[in-house]
Amino acid sequence: PLKIEAIDFRAKLNASSHHCEKYELLERQKNTSIIRRGGTFTIVVTFNQNCDLKKKHVFKLYFSFGSTPNIHNGTQAILESYGGTMFDKSHEEWDLRVVEVKGKEITFEVQIESDAAVGVWRVAAEVYERANTSARHLLRTDHHIYILFNPWNKNDATYLPDENQRQEYVLNDIGKVWVGSYPTARGRHWIFGQFDDVVLPACVLLLEKAGIKPEARGDPIRVSRGISRIVNSNDDNGVVFGRWDGNYSDGTAPTGWTGSISILEEYVRTQKPVKYGQCWVFAGVVNTVCRAIGLPSRVVTNLNSAHDTNASLTIDEYFTTDGEEYHYNFSGPVPQGSGDSIWNFHVWNDVWMTRPDLPPGHGGWQAIDATPQETSDGAFQCGPASHEAIRRGEIHLKYDVPFVLAEVNADVVHWQVDDSNKYGFKKLNSDSTRVGRQLLTKKIGDVASSGYANTDREEITPEYKPQEGTRAERITLYTAARRSRAARHAFRLPSEAQEDIEFSIEDIERVPMGDDFSITVKAKSYPTE
């Protein structure tokens, strides 16, 4: 009887045509292929005798994903060949065609559906006679096919039109993370290492532990949200244990890490959170995971980053009648949830995708954040939040737009105790320019060797908000405040303080330690009644 003797998956050849040739797994594991969805790949099947698909035989391929594969939810594909040499199905479906028949060998080309689940697929093959379907031969292979997102394919939800951007945001395995204070932040080198042999298996483990259902793993919205959850350890014993108190004796200090590979290696080996990380460590690992699975991503630093704890779109600071400041947890009459703060910098990630769940025009870059700050849907996760929604103040759109909007554009509001006020406080004044002074990412191209060099950094502040001081910027916050009960209180109350003179200090780029420096102060007076 006709039997399948072997299948050559042409792993290296197929990987090269899918921009996947750099993955070390191709060298380390001979039974592994790495390809991108929406594309095609070839296999060579060797039979024990000539196989006549046009007249006598039928050949089948079975692709399975997850523990309970099912055709109806997209986790199983069954492809049949009767010898046809053309694809006849759309990009949304799997397909199979014959490329070449050469004696006992037949070369097939497989079309992967453009929204296939991302992760490891298993493969089986079967051949039988049309006249005698009971004479079947089934070969279950031990070959693993990693299917990734495909930013090169126009039908993929992660399609990125510009080749230079694909090279940077998908294939570049080194980069920089900007840390420090405005305006003297420096670039910290980070090795993403998405092609290391530990990374793809780690990604599959993380998507599983994040609780993303197999049928949802082709959706970059749910995948990126799950990544923002599982890279921190707060809910699911994820990758990185965050710590900010300076006590790192039983682990590695956040400043001790220079890349993601050793973190993921330790996590895969121990299955326990890796100690310790802070925002740039979370963002570095997220960037590695996203780029490894083909999701375009970049690391973003926000200088003067707000942490709004009560969705008021403001950073609230409280003072006594004597002008002394209340601090969080101080035993004074400070409203519950008023632990707002401003970090000198905070780091998160942008990921690129379409957003069919939002109104048109909201695709493109989306912010996600794995640093555990506030819960979202009951877990420490954040995003994806559309840049366009953030810029417009559309806080009703998914996911976590109010929190990210506050991070980059919250007003700082000063309140003073006032027993005569029904809220217990009166509004003294507000500062609309203190938060979100600058948002930075690495520019496309080579990495500058110096951390203080600015040649490899790109400012992306206009992508997150209109220019400070403009009417458009104010409209963004007022639009958001109208949809938030917590925000309306601050934005509808006038400031009590009489602001008849406005002072501003011109920024200084950098002052060497020990050197003298001069500053320029500008004063603008307003007429008073």
Side-chain angles (χ1 to χ4, degrees):
L2 181 65
K3 292 184 178 180
I4 303 167
E5 290 191 336
I7 300 178
D8 179 3
F9 285 90
R10 294 183 162 183
K12 291 184 179 180
L13 179 65
N14 289 319
S16 180
S17 65
H18 284 251
H19 310 279
C20 295
E21 66 276 7
K22 294 182 180 180
Y23 286 91
E24 292 180 2
L25 275 181
L26 296 168
E27 293 290 343
R28 304 289 176 84
Q29 296 183 8
K30 301 304 181 183
N31 64 335
T32 298
S33 293
I34 304 171
I35 50 182
R36 300 186 187 276
R37 65 186 193 175
T40 66
F41 66 97
T42 59
I43 61 174
V44 179
V45 181
T46 303
F47 300 91
N48 64 335
Q49 56 183 276
N50 290 346
C51 177
D52 185 359
L53 292 176
K54 289 191 174 182
K55 296 181 180 180
K56 188 176 180 181
H57 300 111
V58 178
F59 178 74
K60 279 188 175 183
L61 281 174
Y62 299 86
F63 293 89
S64 302
F65 185 85
S67 57
T68 55
N70 188 303
I71 293 177
H72 301 292
N73 66 16
T75 55
Q76 186 178 55
I78 301 176
L79 312 181
E80 291 184 334
S81 174
Y82 294 90
T85 58
M86 301 288 291
F87 290 132
D88 56 12
K89 296 179 181 177
S90 73
H91 65 84
E92 297 175 342
E93 298 181 75
W94 293 77
D95 206 353
L96 180 67
R97 74 181 187 95
V98 172
V99 176
E100 182 183 29
V101 178
K102 193 174 182 180
K104 299 177 184 179
E105 291 183 350
I106 299 180
T107 301
F108 294 95
E109 185 176 16
V110 179
Q111 173 182 284
I112 311 167
E113 64 181 7
S114 55
D115 59 353
V118 168
V120 179
W121 288 73
R122 302 179 305 279
V123 189
E126 185 180 35
V127 66
Y128 60 88
E129 291 186 19
R130 299 183 194 183
N132 182 15
T133 56
S134 62
R136 296 171 175 263
H137 180 243
L138 178 67
L139 176 66
R140 301 184 186 276
T141 74
D142 62 354
H143 200 84
H144 295 135
I145 298 182
Y146 285 87
I147 294 181
L148 314 179
F149 290 115
N150 192 353
W152 283 264
N153 189 291
K154 292 183 179 181
N155 299 311
D156 195 291
T158 65
Y159 174 63
L160 190 58
D162 186 84
E163 176 60 23
N164 290 328
Q165 289 185 321
R166 292 192 292 253
Q167 292 293 323
E168 178 68 35
Y169 303 132
V170 182
L171 299 181
N172 198 347
D173 58 355
I174 58 173
K176 271 187 180 177
V177 182
W178 268 264
V179 299
S181 302
Y182 176 83
T184 58
R186 64 181 179 86
R188 182 185 183 91
H189 289 81
W190 194 268
I191 300 172
F192 301 120
Q194 66 264 36
F195 304 117
D196 189 89
D197 63 349
V198 74
V199 174
L200 273 183
C203 292
V204 172
L205 172 65
L206 294 181
L207 296 182
E208 187 74 29
K209 288 178 70 68
I212 306 172
K213 294 180 179 180
E215 58 267 27
R217 292 184 204 170
D219 180 1
I221 300 170
R222 285 185 277 186
V223 167
S224 62
R225 187 161 174 79
I227 291 171
S228 78
R229 170 177 175 165
I230 198 60
V231 168
N232 69 67
S233 65
N234 289 51
D235 297 301
D236 308 289
N237 285 322
V239 182
V240 179
F241 192 111
R243 192 160 195 170
W244 288 265
D245 61 4
N247 183 12
Y248 311 121
S249 58
D250 59 338
T252 299
T255 54
W257 303 110
T258 58
S260 307
I261 298 173
S262 54
I263 295 173
L264 291 172
E265 283 178 338
E266 181 176 337
Y267 184 73
V268 170
R269 184 179 70 254
T270 65
Q271 300 284 297
K272 295 180 180 179
V274 179
K275 302 176 179 179
Y276 289 103
Q278 292 180 7
C279 60
W280 69 90
V281 180
F282 290 110
V285 174
V286 166
N287 220 52
T288 297
V289 173
C290 289
R291 290 187 182 182
I293 62 175
L295 181 58
S297 61
R298 63 186 183 184
V299 177
V300 175
T301 298
N302 181 30
L303 303 180
N304 283 17
S305 188
H307 182 172
D308 176 20
T309 58
N310 58 358
S312 66
L313 305 178
T314 57
I315 301 303
D316 300 308
E317 298 177 355
Y318 294 87
F319 298 86
T320 67
T321 54
D322 296 327
E324 293 190 10
E325 185 177 0
Y326 281 127
H327 294 286
Y328 188 47
N329 288 334
F330 186 85
S331 57
V334 181
Q336 184 178 3
S338 60
D340 295 345
S341 60
I342 299 177
W343 299 356
N344 61 334
F345 74 94
H346 181 51
V347 187
W348 62 74
N349 301 82
D350 281 343
V351 289
W352 182 276
M353 67 185 73
T354 61
R355 289 299 299 269
D357 59 324
L358 301 183
H362 287 74
W365 287 119
Q366 319 282 316
I368 62 173
D369 192 350
T371 301
Q373 297 180 85
E374 300 293 327
T375 59
S376 173
D377 294 333
F380 283 97
Q381 57 190 344
C382 182
S386 163
H387 277 203
E388 190 64 20
I390 297 166
R391 275 181 52 84
R392 294 182 179 183
E394 297 170 326
I395 63 173
H396 59 292
L397 299 180
K398 295 181 178 180
Y399 289 91
D400 306 307
V401 172
F403 186 78
V404 182
L405 172 60
E407 284 184 305
V408 302
N409 205 20
D411 282 1
V412 179
V413 180
H414 291 168
W415 303 88
Q416 188 176 54
V417 173
D418 183 359
D419 294 336
S420 65
N421 190 293
K422 67 177 181 178
Y423 299 107
F425 291 85
K426 65 181 178 181
K427 180 181 176 183
L428 289 178
N429 53 59
S430 61
D431 183 348
S432 62
T433 63
R434 185 169 154 194
V435 168
R437 295 301 301 269
Q438 199 172 40
L439 286 109
L440 303 173
T441 191
K442 181 192 166 295
K443 185 186 296 184
I444 293 173
D446 296 334
V447 178
S449 57
S450 170
Y452 288 101
N454 293 332
T455 57
D456 60 351
R457 84 178 191 184
E458 178 183 1
E459 180 173 354
I460 57 172
T461 311
E463 297 184 26
Y464 273 88
K465 62 180 180 177
Q467 184 177 348
E468 288 286 4
T470 63
R471 184 170 180 269
E473 184 268 338
R474 288 291 87 191
I475 288 175
T476 292
L477 273 185
Y478 293 148
T479 299
R482 280 197 295 267
R483 290 184 175 270
S484 170
R485 183 181 181 87
R488 285 198 296 269
H489 171 57
F491 284 93
R492 72 188 175 193
L493 290 178
S495 297
E496 293 284 334
Q498 186 177 17
E499 299 175 356
D500 54 353
I501 300 179
E502 178 182 287
F503 291 95
S504 62
I505 300 176
E506 291 189 355
D507 292 328
I508 302 174
E509 279 295 324
R510 188 179 301 115
V511 179
M513 192 74 72
D515 286 6
D516 295 337
F517 64 94
S518 300
I519 61 172
T520 301
V521 179
K522 291 184 177 181
K524 182 179 180 180
S525 63
Y526 296 92
T528 58
E529 296 181 356

